Amino acid sequence: MDIQWYPGHMAKAKRQIRENLKLIDVVIELVDARIPISSSNPEVDDLINGKKKIVVLNKSDLADPEINKLWEKHYKKANQPYVFVDAISGKGLKELIATVKTTMKPVLDRDKAKGRLNRQIRCLILGIPNVGKSTLINSISGRASTKTGNKPGVTKANQWIKVSNEIQLLDTPGILWPKFDDETIGLKLAWIGSIKDTIYDREEAALKLLEFLRSAYPNVIYDRYKVEFDENTTALELMESIARKRNYVIRGGEIDYSRTAEMLMDEIKKTTLGKVSFEWPEVD
């Protein structure tokens, strides 16, 4: 799958982020809990240049709970602060605020010893499009209109949002795009709806989706589509069985592959198929 990306946008975002980091104490890297690797930019750590970082796995309610547990073990082993959240419902936001405070405690204690009291923690949220950055900011601040006005910064577009008397978020129009090291990253982003369906082959993406589900979540396919298959059933045969079950056929009894693919991609994006994770960490 040849998915075209936007390196010009990424270069602009990186420049903005580097400038904004001068004002920041903690970076919150927002990823999609279903694809924590593919929804993260591999250049983030170099970009933030040693700043404290918290990984926030959004949409964790849509991911496989058992795979979430594996990611939890992974981040603990790596000594990487992390929080699972659902920005829409607000689940996990209290834990996020507590993690920000815990992460900054050594710095705040040091400042307090020097007589610098009541210093606010300044945070920046980084995330690729459609991982829920705006929703998280609005949820964690309590309402969408909590911008506290401009402060001395890089550009007039920078807005500080008050989370509490102790924490502020810097809201910036900058975005950070992932780097496609291989086509599977773009494929997973397509499955969760993070890229437009006009820039990839939907039928091929649907076939790859069925290959993955057949291997990792065979019960999901059977429960939803009530079709029989085994490990020797190809993705194309599986798609054809689903199409016939749904009566997605055209004149002459031929399979309507386009309509079937559209349905499959739509159902996985809307989580009609249930809680599914598309990648998980290596485990011992």
Side-chain angles (χ1 to χ4, degrees), residues 108-283:
L108 296 178
D109 288 346
R110 185 180 64 230
D111 286 354
K112 186 176 181 180
K114 295 179 179 179
R116 188 181 179 189
L117 307 177
N118 302 319
R119 171 160 111 62
Q120 290 184 316
I121 303 170
R122 297 161 297 183
C123 303
L124 174 68
I125 298 179
L126 297 182
I128 69 170
N130 299 321
V131 291
K133 175 174 170 282
S134 296
T135 303
L136 177 65
I137 290 174
N138 292 340
S139 296
I140 201 172
S141 62
R143 59 186 185 277
S145 58
T146 55
K147 292 184 178 179
T148 58
N150 292 330
K151 287 190 174 183
V154 178
T155 69
K156 291 183 179 180
N158 287 340
Q159 295 286 337
W160 290 92
I161 299 175
K162 183 178 180 181
V163 175
S164 67
N165 290 331
E166 301 166 282
I167 300 174
Q168 284 193 327
L169 295 177
L170 179 60
D171 186 19
T172 171
I175 56 176
L176 187 62
W177 300 90
K179 179 181 178 182
F180 285 167
D181 290 324
D182 59 67
E183 69 173 29
T184 60
I185 294 176
L187 190 61
K188 293 171 185 176
L189 289 168
W191 290 345
I192 67 170
S194 283
I195 55 179
K196 295 180 180 180
D197 57 14
T198 55
I199 65 171
Y200 65 89
D201 186 319
R202 189 158 46 188
E203 291 182 27
E204 185 176 354
L207 285 171
K208 294 288 187 181
L209 173 64
L210 287 175
E211 284 182 7
F212 171 81
L213 293 176
R214 181 195 57 193
S215 174
Y217 295 96
N219 59 306
V220 166
I221 298 176
Y222 180 78
D223 291 345
R224 180 61 180 170
Y225 304 113
K226 308 301 184 201
V227 294
E228 298 291 342
F229 62 95
D230 56 36
E231 65 275 8
N232 296 317
T233 305
T234 67
L236 182 59
E237 291 169 339
L238 196 50
M239 178 182 279
E240 291 172 345
S241 296
I242 292 171
R244 292 190 182 96
K245 199 78 171 182
R246 291 291 182 93
N247 199 30
Y248 288 172
V249 294
I250 53 181
R251 185 175 300 176
E254 294 184 7
I255 299 296
D256 190 338
Y257 293 102
S258 178
R259 186 181 178 193
T260 307
E262 182 178 4
M263 178 273 295
L264 289 167
M265 295 297 290
D266 189 55
E267 292 209 339
I268 197 66
K269 290 173 189 175
K270 292 181 178 178
T271 66
T272 307
L273 300 182
K275 298 183 177 183
V276 173
S277 293
F278 297 112
E279 58 191 19
W280 40 87
E282 293 183 5
V283 293

